[in-house]
Amino acid sequence: MPANPDYPELTAGREHWRYLPDPDCLKDRVILVTGAGDGIGRAAAKTFACHGAHVILLGRTREKLEAVFDWITARTDTRPVIVPCDLEALNDEASQALVAAIDGEFGQLHGVLHNASLLGLRVPIAHYDTHQWARVMQVNVNAQFLLTRDLLGLLEASGDASVVFTSSSVGRQGRAYWGAYAVSKFATEGLCQVLADEHEHAGMIRFNSLNPGATRTGMRAAAYPAENPAQVATAESRMDIYLYLFEAASRHVNGAALDARDWPGPTDS
Ligand code: NDP
């Protein structure tokens, strides 16, 4: 059953899903997606909207965000919002202004998908440039810390919120030449674990990390230029676990490090 007949990629992707959620499983939930203009973030934003969520589209390229916005408003009854924002420049003031804008628009927040990342250089640590290292750490770690810290109040206000940090296999086992990207993903896992432990007892916000696995995007093509993209899974085929982590069925899952490729899904476990 297609989630939305106007989104054929999602319909095709669902053939690979192991969990088929209710079409309205995210109805009226407000979810912030970073890096929503391209790749996995774009697929997630569209998928969430197709399942009823009001999606806050954060990214650095306005035109890409507008294309996602237009797509969503043409095909769903949800209320997306565009937030052009370069996470490389995010600081206390910018983060707090963003939170105030979300508060003014929605008053609460049910989810954050920390998805935007920089790949950075693919060189040995011995040759890693200091400025490039700092850029990757700012986008992949510092920005996630700032946004999460400042959004905690709005997430708690929803009473049932989900924060997902996007990891990578090189963030769980270090690999040569992955440099700052790999280190940033280890830091992401650490941030997720600390938050999950801090909020375990209150039970209002769950924090989990997710490795999407090899997925056909611009970042994947940059990392593996010799690979045939047709042999790599589409972002839409990964969306079952993304939906699961933001809907009520995952309410009990906190502090988990998940992998989209081997996720059994609630019906298989
Ligand atoms: P893409 O490069 O295709 O998309 C990344 C998105 O992040 C883009 O929309 C990009 O914006 C945005 N972004 C990058 N830098 C910034 C910034 N400074 N400020 C705001 N937005 C920014 O990546 P993927 O979709 O492949 O990756 C998504 C996530 O999945 C990442 O966290 C990645 O590490 C992870 N991942 C991906 C895998 C894969 O095989 N694709 C495998 C394992 C993990 P813009 O379009 O304007 O450049």
Side-chain angles (χ1 to χ4, degrees), residues 12-24:
R14 281 168 73 99
E15 289 170 13
H16 304 282
W17 292 15
R18 289 140 292 184
Y19 148 74
L20 291 177
D22 187 313
D24 288 332

Side-chain angles (χ1 to χ4, degrees), residues 59 68 102 140 164-165 194-195 200 211 219 238 241 264:
V68 179
I102 295 173
N140 298 10
V164 174
F165 292 92
V194 171
L195 283 161
E200 176 76 25
N211 171 21
M219 182 184 289
R238 300 292 194 212
I241 190 167

Side-chain angles (χ1 to χ4, degrees), residues 239-262:
M239 287 297 124
D240 58 349
I241 190 167
Y242 281 83
L243 268 178
Y244 170 69
L245 285 172
F246 284 98
E247 69 124 321
S250 65
R251 203 164 177 172
H252 61 287
V253 182
N254 184 44
L258 300 160
D259 192 316
R261 294 165 301 185
D262 58 24

Side-chain angles (χ1 to χ4, degrees), residues 34-42 58-62 64-65 85-89 114-119 135 139-140 144 165-170 181 185 210-221 224 232-233 235 238 242:
T34 72
D38 214 335
I40 294 169
R42 176 177 57 192
L58 186 151
R60 66 181 167 182
T61 308
R62 178 183 281 275
K64 290 184 181 182
L65 298 176
C85 171
D86 184 351
L87 296 174
E88 221 176 309
H114 287 295
N115 164 81
S117 279
L118 280 184
L119 179 61
R135 289 184 66 210
V139 174
N140 298 10
Q144 298 190 1
F165 292 92
T166 308
S167 188
S168 164
S169 51
V170 298
Y181 178 84
K185 295 296 184 180
L210 174 61
N211 171 21
T215 308
R216 192 190 308 166
T217 67
M219 182 184 289
R220 177 75 190 182
Y224 295 91
V232 182
R238 300 292 194 212
Y242 281 83

